[in-house]
Amino acid sequence: MTDTLTDGDSPGLDSCVRIGSIVSSNSHLDYVAEVYKERDCDRPPELHEREFGQPVFIKKPVNGTEHAVMGVIYDTQLVDPDQGRTGPRLAQDDQAQFTPGYIEERTTLAGVALLGTAEIAEEGTIQEPTHQMPRWTLEVEDTVFHCPDQVTVSFHTVDDQIQLAYMDRLLDIAGDLGSEVIVALIDRLRGMLPEDDPNQRVLDVVEQNVQWQAREQRGMV
């Protein structure tokens, strides 16, 4: 576990690693990003920076105020156009569709579920976080950024209390992987908080409930 983070412990939103760019969407809250390669930018993301459960954000100016649309990577897909041209589907009968459009070359795609929004402050931190459904749509070629730990904690903290009010929406978007991505987010938040933080108990209870619901849905006891 780490001690409580301060603003200086992680980079501001202006210096974050770029993970990729939006190439398509499956819904207002479910997007597909193409992961950057070396030829796409000076500093492509390393594997651990774009892994399952990684918090991300997309900058979006609205009415003169810059916002961060917060999200999480809930799935990945490898696409080889020479093996079918349109790429496979990652979907089952009861799982959300993850169906990217036409891809010209071998690439890695990431499914990004939107969680909420926040305003970006002048110093590169966030303020006024909300877990309500984002009202604005993303655009093709919008950049997806790696989210720093401090920003992740700030987004999930309201009046010193950890909140995950987007859980039901995330479960719907991620389908069979919904419980796993929520547990992955909880594990990340645990590592960002002190061991004696009262919110650790809150995270334990949420994780237990999510795992219990997942077992119930799968018919396990």
Side-chain angles (χ1 to χ4, degrees), residues 148-184:
D149 287 353
Q150 176 60 31
V151 175
T152 299
V153 172
S154 296
F155 174 67
H156 286 89
T157 305
V158 178
D159 296 331
D160 296 325
Q161 297 292 318
I162 286 290
Q163 295 191 10
L164 295 95
Y166 53 73
M167 276 205 323
D168 288 343
R169 297 198 310 270
L170 182 53
L171 286 169
D172 288 339
I173 294 170
D176 287 347
L177 298 178
S179 58
E180 281 79 3
V181 72
I182 290 173
V183 170

Short mmCIF file of all heavy atoms in Angstrom, two decimals, residues 148-184:
data_model
loop_
_atom_site.label_atom_id
_atom_site.label_comp_id
_atom_site.label_asym_id
_atom_site.label_seq_id
_atom_site.Cartn_x
_atom_site.Cartn_y
_atom_site.Cartn_z
N PRO A 148 -3.59 9.32 -14.20
CA PRO A 148 -2.71 9.23 -13.03
C PRO A 148 -3.47 8.77 -11.79
O PRO A 148 -4.69 8.97 -11.67
CB PRO A 148 -2.21 10.67 -12.84
CG PRO A 148 -2.49 11.37 -14.13
CD PRO A 148 -3.69 10.70 -14.72
N ASP A 149 -2.74 8.18 -10.84
CA ASP A 149 -3.37 7.65 -9.63
C ASP A 149 -4.12 8.73 -8.86
O ASP A 149 -5.25 8.50 -8.39
CB ASP A 149 -2.31 7.02 -8.72
CG ASP A 149 -1.79 5.70 -9.26
OD1 ASP A 149 -2.34 5.21 -10.27
OD2 ASP A 149 -0.83 5.17 -8.68
N GLN A 150 -3.50 9.91 -8.70
CA GLN A 150 -4.14 10.96 -7.91
C GLN A 150 -5.47 11.39 -8.53
O GLN A 150 -6.45 11.65 -7.83
CB GLN A 150 -3.22 12.17 -7.77
CG GLN A 150 -3.85 13.35 -7.04
CD GLN A 150 -4.25 12.99 -5.62
OE1 GLN A 150 -3.63 12.15 -4.98
NE2 GLN A 150 -5.32 13.61 -5.14
N VAL A 151 -5.50 11.44 -9.84
CA VAL A 151 -6.74 11.82 -10.53
C VAL A 151 -7.79 10.74 -10.36
O VAL A 151 -8.98 11.02 -10.16
CB VAL A 151 -6.46 12.11 -12.02
CG1 VAL A 151 -7.76 12.40 -12.77
CG2 VAL A 151 -5.51 13.28 -12.16
N THR A 152 -7.37 9.48 -10.41
CA THR A 152 -8.30 8.37 -10.20
C THR A 152 -8.92 8.45 -8.81
O THR A 152 -10.14 8.28 -8.65
CB THR A 152 -7.57 7.03 -10.37
OG1 THR A 152 -7.07 6.93 -11.71
CG2 THR A 152 -8.52 5.86 -10.12
N VAL A 153 -8.11 8.72 -7.79
CA VAL A 153 -8.63 8.85 -6.43
C VAL A 153 -9.58 10.04 -6.32
O VAL A 153 -10.65 9.94 -5.74
CB VAL A 153 -7.48 8.98 -5.42
CG1 VAL A 153 -8.01 9.31 -4.02
CG2 VAL A 153 -6.66 7.70 -5.36
N SER A 154 -9.19 11.17 -6.91
CA SER A 154 -10.03 12.37 -6.84
C SER A 154 -11.38 12.13 -7.50
O SER A 154 -12.42 12.58 -7.00
CB SER A 154 -9.32 13.54 -7.53
OG SER A 154 -8.14 13.90 -6.85
N PHE A 155 -11.40 11.41 -8.61
CA PHE A 155 -12.64 11.15 -9.31
C PHE A 155 -13.57 10.27 -8.48
O PHE A 155 -14.79 10.40 -8.55
CB PHE A 155 -12.35 10.47 -10.65
CG PHE A 155 -13.58 10.03 -11.40
CD1 PHE A 155 -14.47 10.97 -11.91
CD2 PHE A 155 -13.86 8.69 -11.60
CE1 PHE A 155 -15.62 10.57 -12.58
CE2 PHE A 155 -14.99 8.28 -12.28
CZ PHE A 155 -15.88 9.22 -12.77
N HIS A 156 -12.99 9.39 -7.69
CA HIS A 156 -13.80 8.45 -6.90
C HIS A 156 -14.10 8.94 -5.48
O HIS A 156 -14.72 8.21 -4.71
CB HIS A 156 -13.08 7.09 -6.81
CG HIS A 156 -13.12 6.31 -8.07
ND1 HIS A 156 -12.16 6.43 -9.06
CD2 HIS A 156 -14.01 5.40 -8.54
CE1 HIS A 156 -12.46 5.61 -10.06
NE2 HIS A 156 -13.57 4.99 -9.77
N THR A 157 -13.67 10.15 -5.12
CA THR A 157 -13.83 10.64 -3.75
C THR A 157 -14.77 11.84 -3.71
O THR A 157 -14.54 12.84 -4.40
CB THR A 157 -12.47 11.03 -3.15
OG1 THR A 157 -11.57 9.93 -3.25
CG2 THR A 157 -12.63 11.41 -1.69
N VAL A 158 -15.82 11.72 -2.92
CA VAL A 158 -16.76 12.82 -2.69
C VAL A 158 -16.92 12.99 -1.19
O VAL A 158 -17.33 12.04 -0.50
CB VAL A 158 -18.13 12.54 -3.36
CG1 VAL A 158 -19.09 13.69 -3.06
CG2 VAL A 158 -17.97 12.35 -4.86
N ASP A 159 -16.55 14.17 -0.67
CA ASP A 159 -16.62 14.43 0.78
C ASP A 159 -15.87 13.35 1.56
O ASP A 159 -16.35 12.82 2.57
CB ASP A 159 -18.07 14.49 1.25
CG ASP A 159 -18.82 15.67 0.64
OD1 ASP A 159 -18.18 16.69 0.34
OD2 ASP A 159 -20.05 15.54 0.44
N ASP A 160 -14.68 13.02 1.06
CA ASP A 160 -13.77 12.04 1.70
C ASP A 160 -14.31 10.62 1.70
O ASP A 160 -13.77 9.74 2.37
CB ASP A 160 -13.46 12.45 3.16
CG ASP A 160 -12.70 13.77 3.24
OD1 ASP A 160 -11.88 14.02 2.35
OD2 ASP A 160 -12.95 14.54 4.18
N GLN A 161 -15.36 10.37 0.94
CA GLN A 161 -15.94 9.03 0.84
C GLN A 161 -15.76 8.47 -0.57
O GLN A 161 -16.02 9.15 -1.56
CB GLN A 161 -17.44 9.07 1.17
CG GLN A 161 -17.75 9.50 2.59
CD GLN A 161 -17.29 8.49 3.62
OE1 GLN A 161 -17.45 7.28 3.43
NE2 GLN A 161 -16.74 8.97 4.72
N ILE A 162 -15.28 7.23 -0.64
CA ILE A 162 -15.13 6.56 -1.93
C ILE A 162 -16.51 6.24 -2.50
O ILE A 162 -17.38 5.73 -1.78
CB ILE A 162 -14.31 5.27 -1.79
CG1 ILE A 162 -12.83 5.61 -1.57
CG2 ILE A 162 -14.45 4.38 -3.03
CD1 ILE A 162 -12.12 6.19 -2.80
N GLN A 163 -16.70 6.53 -3.79
CA GLN A 163 -17.95 6.22 -4.46
C GLN A 163 -17.68 5.55 -5.81
O GLN A 163 -16.70 5.87 -6.47
CB GLN A 163 -18.78 7.48 -4.68
CG GLN A 163 -19.25 8.14 -3.40
CD GLN A 163 -20.29 9.23 -3.65
OE1 GLN A 163 -20.79 9.38 -4.76
NE2 GLN A 163 -20.61 9.98 -2.61
N LEU A 164 -18.54 4.62 -6.17
CA LEU A 164 -18.52 3.97 -7.48
C LEU A 164 -19.95 3.94 -8.01
O LEU A 164 -20.52 2.89 -8.26
CB LEU A 164 -17.94 2.55 -7.39
CG LEU A 164 -16.48 2.43 -6.98
CD1 LEU A 164 -16.38 2.19 -5.46
CD2 LEU A 164 -15.78 1.31 -7.72
N ALA A 165 -20.52 5.12 -8.20
CA ALA A 165 -21.93 5.22 -8.56
C ALA A 165 -22.22 4.76 -9.99
O ALA A 165 -23.38 4.61 -10.37
CB ALA A 165 -22.41 6.67 -8.37
N TYR A 166 -21.18 4.53 -10.77
CA TYR A 166 -21.34 4.09 -12.16
C TYR A 166 -21.43 2.57 -12.28
O TYR A 166 -21.52 2.03 -13.38
CB TYR A 166 -20.15 4.57 -12.99
CG TYR A 166 -18.81 4.18 -12.39
CD1 TYR A 166 -18.34 2.87 -12.42
CD2 TYR A 166 -18.01 5.13 -11.77
CE1 TYR A 166 -17.14 2.51 -11.86
CE2 TYR A 166 -16.79 4.78 -11.21
CZ TYR A 166 -16.35 3.47 -11.24
OH TYR A 166 -15.17 3.11 -10.68
N MET A 167 -21.41 1.84 -11.18
CA MET A 167 -21.24 0.38 -11.22
C MET A 167 -22.28 -0.31 -12.09
O MET A 167 -21.94 -1.20 -12.89
CB MET A 167 -21.27 -0.21 -9.81
CG MET A 167 -19.95 -0.16 -9.11
SD MET A 167 -19.80 -1.45 -7.84
CE MET A 167 -21.44 -1.53 -7.16
N ASP A 168 -23.54 0.02 -11.94
CA ASP A 168 -24.58 -0.67 -12.70
C ASP A 168 -24.39 -0.47 -14.20
O ASP A 168 -24.56 -1.41 -14.99
CB ASP A 168 -25.97 -0.18 -12.28
CG ASP A 168 -26.37 -0.67 -10.90
OD1 ASP A 168 -25.73 -1.63 -10.42
OD2 ASP A 168 -27.30 -0.09 -10.31
N ARG A 169 -24.05 0.75 -14.60
CA ARG A 169 -23.82 1.01 -16.03
C ARG A 169 -22.62 0.22 -16.54
O ARG A 169 -22.64 -0.33 -17.64
CB ARG A 169 -23.59 2.51 -16.28
CG ARG A 169 -24.77 3.40 -15.93
CD ARG A 169 -24.63 4.76 -16.60
NE ARG A 169 -23.33 5.37 -16.38
CZ ARG A 169 -23.05 6.18 -15.35
NH1 ARG A 169 -23.98 6.45 -14.45
NH2 ARG A 169 -21.84 6.71 -15.21
N LEU A 170 -21.56 0.17 -15.73
CA LEU A 170 -20.36 -0.54 -16.15
C LEU A 170 -20.63 -2.04 -16.29
O LEU A 170 -20.13 -2.68 -17.22
CB LEU A 170 -19.23 -0.29 -15.16
CG LEU A 170 -17.87 -0.93 -15.47
CD1 LEU A 170 -17.40 -0.57 -16.87
CD2 LEU A 170 -16.84 -0.51 -14.42
N LEU A 171 -21.41 -2.59 -15.39
CA LEU A 171 -21.77 -4.00 -15.48
C LEU A 171 -22.52 -4.28 -16.78
O LEU A 171 -22.29 -5.30 -17.44
CB LEU A 171 -22.63 -4.40 -14.29
CG LEU A 171 -21.90 -4.56 -12.95
CD1 LEU A 171 -22.90 -4.68 -11.81
CD2 LEU A 171 -20.96 -5.77 -12.97
N ASP A 172 -23.40 -3.37 -17.18
CA ASP A 172 -24.16 -3.55 -18.42
C ASP A 172 -23.24 -3.48 -19.64
O ASP A 172 -23.35 -4.28 -20.57
CB ASP A 172 -25.26 -2.49 -18.54
CG ASP A 172 -26.40 -2.73 -17.58
OD1 ASP A 172 -26.55 -3.88 -17.12
OD2 ASP A 172 -27.14 -1.77 -17.28
N ILE A 173 -22.33 -2.52 -19.64
CA ILE A 173 -21.46 -2.33 -20.80
C ILE A 173 -20.49 -3.50 -20.95
O ILE A 173 -20.30 -4.04 -22.05
CB ILE A 173 -20.67 -1.02 -20.67
CG1 ILE A 173 -21.62 0.19 -20.74
CG2 ILE A 173 -19.61 -0.91 -21.77
CD1 ILE A 173 -20.95 1.49 -20.37
N ALA A 174 -19.85 -3.89 -19.85
CA ALA A 174 -18.78 -4.90 -19.92
C ALA A 174 -19.31 -6.32 -19.97
O ALA A 174 -18.54 -7.25 -20.24
CB ALA A 174 -17.84 -4.73 -18.73
N GLY A 175 -20.60 -6.53 -19.71
CA GLY A 175 -21.17 -7.87 -19.83
C GLY A 175 -20.50 -8.87 -18.91
O GLY A 175 -20.37 -8.65 -17.71
N ASP A 176 -20.05 -9.99 -19.47
CA ASP A 176 -19.44 -11.06 -18.67
C ASP A 176 -18.18 -10.60 -17.93
O ASP A 176 -17.79 -11.22 -16.94
CB ASP A 176 -19.08 -12.24 -19.56
CG ASP A 176 -20.31 -13.01 -20.01
OD1 ASP A 176 -21.40 -12.77 -19.44
OD2 ASP A 176 -20.19 -13.83 -20.95
N LEU A 177 -17.56 -9.53 -18.40
CA LEU A 177 -16.34 -9.04 -17.76
C LEU A 177 -16.63 -7.91 -16.77
O LEU A 177 -15.69 -7.35 -16.20
CB LEU A 177 -15.34 -8.54 -18.82
CG LEU A 177 -14.85 -9.60 -19.81
CD1 LEU A 177 -13.91 -8.97 -20.84
CD2 LEU A 177 -14.12 -10.72 -19.07
N GLY A 178 -17.91 -7.59 -16.57
CA GLY A 178 -18.26 -6.46 -15.72
C GLY A 178 -17.75 -6.59 -14.29
O GLY A 178 -17.15 -5.66 -13.74
N SER A 179 -18.00 -7.73 -13.66
CA SER A 179 -17.56 -7.90 -12.27
C SER A 179 -16.04 -7.87 -12.17
O SER A 179 -15.48 -7.30 -11.23
CB SER A 179 -18.10 -9.21 -11.70
OG SER A 179 -17.67 -10.33 -12.46
N GLU A 180 -15.35 -8.45 -13.18
CA GLU A 180 -13.89 -8.48 -13.13
C GLU A 180 -13.29 -7.08 -13.26
O GLU A 180 -12.32 -6.74 -12.58
CB GLU A 180 -13.35 -9.37 -14.25
CG GLU A 180 -13.42 -10.85 -13.97
CD GLU A 180 -14.81 -11.43 -14.21
OE1 GLU A 180 -15.71 -10.69 -14.65
OE2 GLU A 180 -14.99 -12.64 -13.97
N VAL A 181 -13.88 -6.22 -14.11
CA VAL A 181 -13.32 -4.89 -14.27
C VAL A 181 -13.58 -4.04 -13.03
O VAL A 181 -12.73 -3.23 -12.63
CB VAL A 181 -13.86 -4.20 -15.55
CG1 VAL A 181 -15.31 -3.80 -15.41
CG2 VAL A 181 -13.01 -2.99 -15.91
N ILE A 182 -14.73 -4.23 -12.37
CA ILE A 182 -14.98 -3.49 -11.13
C ILE A 182 -14.01 -3.93 -10.04
O ILE A 182 -13.46 -3.09 -9.31
CB ILE A 182 -16.44 -3.69 -10.69
CG1 ILE A 182 -17.38 -2.97 -11.66
CG2 ILE A 182 -16.64 -3.15 -9.27
CD1 ILE A 182 -18.84 -3.23 -11.41
N VAL A 183 -13.77 -5.23 -9.93
CA VAL A 183 -12.80 -5.71 -8.94
C VAL A 183 -11.40 -5.17 -9.25
O VAL A 183 -10.65 -4.81 -8.33
CB VAL A 183 -12.79 -7.25 -8.90
CG1 VAL A 183 -11.62 -7.77 -8.07
CG2 VAL A 183 -14.11 -7.78 -8.33
N ALA A 184 -11.06 -5.09 -10.53
CA ALA A 184 -9.76 -4.53 -10.91
C ALA A 184 -9.64 -3.07 -10.50
O ALA A 184 -8.59 -2.63 -10.01
CB ALA A 184 -9.54 -4.67 -12.42
#
